[in-house]
Amino acid sequence: MPLTRKAYRAAILHSIADPAVVGIEASYEYFEDGLLVTENGQISAIGPACELLASLPADIQVSHYQDALITPGFIDTHIHLPQTGMVGAYGEQLLDWLNTYTFPCESQFSDKAHAEEVAGIFIKELLRNGTTTALVFGSVHPQSVDSFFEAAEKLDLRMIAGKVMMDRNAPDYLTDTAESSYVDSKALIERWHGKGRLHYAVTPRFAPTSTPEQLTLAGQLLSEYPDLYMQTHISENLQEIEWVKELFPERKGYLDVYDHYKLLGERSVFAHGVHLCDDECARLAETGSAIAFCPTSNFFLGSGLFNLPMAEKHNLNVGLGTDIGGGTSFSLLQTLNEAYKVMQLQGARLSPFKSLYLATLGGARALRLEDKIGTLQPGTDADFLVLDYNATPLLGYRLKQAKSIAETLFVLMTLGDDRTVLQTYAAGNLVHQR
Ligand code: GUN
Ligand code: ZN
């Protein structure tokens, strides 16, 4: 058996619990001069370099980094692959933005060659930004998801995706039917769910673009296969919420539509939730559902400010989402920069350790994958990053003034972006080198 054990020496930091639950000090582990050991695609040890090195064979291969921080790979719990080509579309809020920019852009994915080209660009962009796992919306076309999974499989990435189900209130060129969406989703599930590190997500776009028949069949798919994910949007925009009330007058509210069709559960992730009420947060928490907090999108589309303290009060699982292309950056560091401002505008705070938690372990918990990703605990997948303190002249100068790992972390999240990610590893393999 060839020796696949490798070691990485640098400052090492990971979240081990939610600071809102255990307090900041107990929420993380930090090794100023640490060592991370990987073996056969998994982490086998983590600790102070001087201690661990003494227990390892003298000839083990060690990569030693100066002025760098090793963290778990970032987890993006909400992103749209077919919107890669329309980031930064001017002037509209959600519903007009969808009609003017989004639907025409997504229609291009009827062409498999286009889908393959964008899947390649999209995955490179994820890895350049340090995102090792994402929960991904495809377009309505099954080939958008095939292309994505084919590319992800080649790199042995842990990824989750699904084909959009959308059978009304969208242009004819972009709608499926309740029946065809069920058949096409089922074929994708059979092909990809549980293959390597890939998982499938049943993906009704949002309540306004699905008929009751389609939502019923989405619920049926979830009942037919174990461990499937469900992803959709909820309560992002006030006009959208009014529209849902008109379309489903018999339901108590937006969440109740999804609840009625049996779409809530431990692997269900709802994007945005900007305008959720207390009762809806309680119901989401009770069913083990999660929210994807998408600050750059909520600012860009003028949707509103997500109430993280309310979610915390209900012990609701929250991950971070870039929501490309409503969001404006693939970088979860930049997403945290904006998340901080969302809290500031509500008179609240977002500590750097809560931010780290949201981008890593919090996302893993939202996806029920905390035994595999989100930390650097031995036995989990070797998905990790090397962040460069000298990525830009300003970052290097600013970090020289930092007096604690808390300050360093906060500055990385404020000034950092794709340039900060020196290397990305997935299943122990180098998948991005700046
Ligand atoms: N709601 C329904 N579809 C979308 C989408 O593509 N992006 C966002 N941000 N919200 C949505
Ligand atoms: Zn979205």
Side-chain angles (χ1 to χ4, degrees):
M1 181 109 167
L3 182 68
T4 60
R5 192 152 54 167
K6 287 186 187 160
Y8 304 84
R9 183 172 182 175
I12 302 180
L13 174 69
H14 66 150
S15 247
I16 53 173
D18 183 350
V21 176
V22 302
I24 284 175
E25 286 315 310
S27 78
Y28 69 93
E29 239 179 3
Y30 175 61
F31 305 99
E32 195 172 335
D33 178 16
L35 198 76
L36 184 76
V37 187
T38 68
E39 210 168 329
N40 299 324
Q42 294 198 326
I43 291 163
S44 58
I46 179 175
C50 56
E51 281 175 29
L52 273 182
L53 281 170
S55 69
L56 292 166
D59 62 349
I60 188 169
Q61 184 193 327
V62 180
S63 304
H64 195 171
Y65 305 89
Q66 303 294 337
D67 291 334
L69 181 68
I70 292 178
T71 68
F74 297 142
I75 298 171
D76 186 341
T77 61
H78 183 68
I79 185 165
H80 298 258
L81 181 152
Q83 296 175 18
T84 305
M86 54 156 291
V87 177
Y90 179 76
E92 307 289 357
Q93 292 210 352
L94 178 64
L95 300 179
D96 294 322
W97 173 84
L98 284 172
N99 286 316
T100 311
Y101 299 112
T102 315
F103 293 152
C105 186
E106 293 195 2
S107 74
Q108 297 170 273
F109 287 73
S110 59
D111 174 10
K112 177 77 163 72
H114 179 79
E116 282 173 12
E117 184 195 352
V118 179
I121 295 168
F122 177 81
I123 286 184
K124 270 211 184 82
E125 207 55 37
L126 290 178
L127 299 175
R128 287 182 62 256
N129 282 279
T131 298
T132 47
T133 292
L135 175 56
V136 179
F137 270 61
S139 68
V140 76
H141 316 94
Q143 56 267 40
S144 66
V145 174
D146 279 322
S147 302
F148 173 68
F149 278 147
E150 282 155 15
E153 187 183 30
K154 285 197 185 114
L155 294 170
D156 195 11
L157 305 177
R158 188 172 290 287
M159 290 287 171
I160 314 168
K163 155 207 139 56
V164 158
M165 304 168 79
M166 173 158 72
D167 68 344
R168 67 166 168 174
N169 292 322
D172 288 345
Y173 61 76
L174 208 57
T175 46
D176 50 17
T177 66
E179 179 63 22
S180 76
S181 71
Y182 174 83
V183 170
D184 288 348
S185 299
K186 202 171 174 104
L188 287 166
I189 292 163
E190 297 280 349
R191 200 145 58 240
W192 294 110
H193 186 55
K195 191 168 187 204
R197 297 207 292 157
L198 306 176
H199 314 257
Y200 193 82
V202 174
T203 308
R205 179 172 215 117
F206 67 155
T209 49
S210 285
T211 58
E213 294 70 38
Q214 187 168 58
L215 294 174
T216 303
L217 288 174
Q220 191 176 317
L221 281 170
L222 292 174
S223 72
E224 286 176 25
Y225 294 88
D227 299 340
L228 273 183
Y229 289 87
M230 196 294 300
Q231 57 178 345
T232 190
H233 296 89
I234 193 165
S235 295
E236 176 179 3
N237 167 287
L238 294 174
Q239 257 188 318
E240 168 210 15
I241 295 169
E242 287 309 306
W243 194 21
V244 172
K245 279 189 199 153
E246 286 166 26
L247 291 168
F248 297 91
E250 71 284 8
R251 304 267 64 93
K252 275 188 303 202
Y254 202 157
L255 183 69
D256 191 46
V257 175
Y258 296 135
D259 207 351
H260 178 76
Y261 293 102
K262 303 191 166 45
L263 299 178
L264 277 57
E266 292 200 340
R267 284 177 177 73
S268 295
V269 179
F270 295 86
H272 306 297
V274 168
H275 305 285
L276 290 171
C277 65
D278 244 315
D279 285 354
E280 289 176 315
C281 283
R283 179 66 185 148
L284 284 166
E286 181 186 25
T287 55
S289 306
I291 290 286
F293 170 26
C294 306
T296 77
S297 170
N298 298 158
F299 277 136
F300 186 72
L301 293 178
S303 302
L305 304 173
F306 177 67
N307 189 341
L308 183 62
M310 179 159 84
E312 283 178 338
K313 187 181 81 183
H314 290 282
N315 214 4
L316 176 52
N317 277 326
V318 177
L320 273 184
T322 60
D323 193 29
I324 291 293
T328 49
S329 174
F330 274 81
S331 169
L332 283 179
L333 294 173
Q334 273 310 296
T335 303
L336 287 168
N337 183 20
E338 301 306 301
Y340 178 79
K341 297 167 192 170
V342 169
M343 293 303 111
Q344 281 279 40
L345 286 170
Q346 298 177 99
R349 288 192 182 178
L350 188 62
S351 83
F353 294 103
K354 177 72 188 199
S355 293
L356 175 69
Y357 173 80
L358 287 172
T360 57
L361 179 55
R365 285 183 173 165
L367 301 175
R368 306 284 161 178
L369 288 171
E370 65 271 29
D371 60 333
K372 300 198 165 59
I373 57 171
T375 70
L376 301 172
Q377 301 285 15
T380 65
D381 299 351
D383 291 1
F384 63 94
L385 312 176
V386 181
L387 304 180
D388 176 10
Y389 289 170
N390 295 312
T392 67
L394 175 62
L395 186 68
Y397 179 68
R398 176 64 182 87
L399 288 181
K400 280 198 179 57
Q401 326 303 318
K403 293 182 179 56
S404 65
I405 183 60
E407 188 178 349
T408 295
L409 186 58
F410 187 64
V411 171
L412 280 171
M413 288 161 175
T414 308
L415 298 183
D417 53 28
D418 53 340
R419 295 168 295 183
T420 314
V421 181
L422 180 67
Q423 293 182 327
T424 303
Y425 288 85
N429 300 312
L430 180 66
V431 290
H432 165 68
Q433 165 78 51
R434 192 187 65 205

